[in-house]
Amino acid sequence: WLKLEWLTASDPRALPDRLGPLCSADGTAPDDKADAAAASGEHPQAFLPVGSTIGQSGGLEEAWDGSGAVSAADGVAERSGVGAGFSEQTPCIDLSGYTLPRVVVFDLDETCWDHFGLDHKPPFKPPFTWSGSAVCDATGRPVEVFPDLPQILLSLHNHGVTLAVASHDGKPEWCRQVMDSYVLDFDTGLCWGQLIPEELTFIKYSGKYWPGKTQHFQDIRENMPGGPCEFSEMLVLDDSKSICQQAHRLGAHAVRCNNGGVTVAKLIEGLSYMTPARGVKRKNGDAV
């Protein structure tokens, strides 16, 4: 018997079934209180009766025991905290019930990883390599990626959503190396960087790219595969309130991801803003 110690309020297995079970799970539909809790960012499991089945991971049925831990048997599935590794079968969210944006734009610093900047004191020391559970610099120091990020990236990718980066980090080469080294799928070797095209990676912090990100968003819009998108088809995830306001003024949707970075709940919040007229309805990764 094992304890799964990485369950948090941002864990998709703690969210209602309408927010998407694990790709390999048969979740049970929660009650209205749990739905409301997820929408407000509260811990939905507080409203589940003790012993409720909340899903599976790699075929392991999990039960809520009221203590914040989930028990499982006959396998290993463990993650603990920011920057930790993840199981070979990264959990995925079923987004088929949502109208999806054409592109989701990620900030990096304090949104994808828990650092103000890779060159911020104390600075990292390249090169960056995959250690088997995290990306580490030359000294062995790990880049502390927020724990929900892998499943968010894979889920969006699997549903055909284009991914982009808009960042003010001072070391764009380091950022690219971290993304290119970060393994999302052990079976295929798929890495984070493979999901972010170079032409949609804008890690710039001077001239027209500073202090805001209006130019970042305009460049991403113009460089979209298949031709420019409407700003209403863009979802921005950023920890900065002012950057989110800039995105809104352009007509894009934005969710502020401060105090813990990007989470599944934040992604779902952003998707809830999309309507059939402001996004592309997709099923199994294909536009419909």
Side-chain angles (χ1 to χ4, degrees):
W1 288 84
L2 303 168
K3 281 287 186 179
L4 296 180
E5 300 175 344
W6 56 283
L7 185 62
T8 67
S10 64
D11 192 320
R13 296 178 298 173
L15 297 175
D17 191 66
R18 68 177 179 82
L19 302 190
L22 302 184
C23 286
S24 60
D26 294 322
T28 56
D31 59 22
D32 292 338
K33 289 184 178 180
D35 277 357
S40 65
E42 298 177 34
H43 201 308
Q45 289 182 349
F47 300 93
L48 296 177
V50 172
S52 297
T53 299
I54 62 171
Q56 297 177 331
S57 178
L60 308 180
E61 186 171 88
E62 301 156 3
W64 169 240
D65 63 6
S67 67
V70 175
S71 58
D74 302 325
V76 177
E78 181 176 336
R79 179 192 281 171
S80 57
V82 172
F86 46 92
S87 68
E88 294 189 12
Q89 186 174 357
T90 301
C92 202
I93 316 152
D94 182 5
L95 304 177
S96 59
Y98 292 89
T99 298
L100 302 178
R102 273 188 66 187
V103 59
V104 175
V105 183
F106 290 84
D107 175 41
L108 294 177
D109 301 326
E110 298 187 302
T111 298
C112 289
W113 50 57
D114 193 18
H115 306 285
F116 185 75
L118 297 183
D119 59 345
H120 190 67
K121 296 181 180 179
F124 283 89
K125 297 184 182 298
F128 296 88
T129 56
W130 179 250
S131 71
S133 61
V135 171
C136 299
D137 71 359
T139 69
R141 177 186 174 196
V143 177
E144 297 181 353
V145 171
F146 287 113
D148 281 9
L149 181 67
Q151 65 209 52
I152 290 172
L153 294 172
L154 276 179
S155 299
L156 291 169
H157 172 68
N158 289 342
H159 284 81
V161 179
T162 298
L163 307 181
V165 164
S167 173
H168 282 146
D169 192 282
K171 294 292 184 179
E173 298 85 0
W174 296 7
C175 294
R176 174 49 76 173
Q177 194 173 93
V178 170
M179 292 190 291
D180 287 345
S181 302
Y182 198 99
V183 178
L184 295 172
D185 189 319
F186 287 96
D187 291 335
T188 65
L190 182 70
C191 293
W192 178 4
Q194 292 174 256
L195 309 187
I196 314 291
E198 288 286 353
E199 62 271 20
L200 296 180
T201 304
F202 291 90
I203 307 174
K204 300 176 182 290
Y205 54 90
S206 60
K208 60 184 179 180
Y209 296 98
W210 182 264
K213 290 186 180 177
T214 296
Q215 191 63 50
H216 294 70
F217 301 145
Q218 290 174 342
D219 288 351
I220 289 170
R221 175 183 178 275
E222 291 300 319
N223 283 277
M224 281 288 293
C229 68
E230 300 295 333
F231 279 119
S232 61
E233 298 174 305
M234 179 183 293
L235 173 61
V236 175
L237 302 173
D238 200 296
D239 68 292
S240 168
K241 180 179 179 180
S242 64
I243 297 301
C244 289
Q245 290 173 337
Q246 290 171 17
H248 285 141
R249 286 194 290 270
L250 290 172
H253 305 279
V255 176
R256 189 181 183 193
C257 299
N258 60 327
N259 298 326
V262 66
T263 64
V264 171
K266 291 292 187 182
L267 172 64
I268 296 302
E269 178 185 342
L271 296 183
S272 71
Y273 300 145
M274 308 299 297
T275 67
R278 295 180 175 179
V280 179
K281 190 75 172 181
R282 290 182 174 86
K283 185 175 182 180
N284 298 325
D286 297 322
V288 296

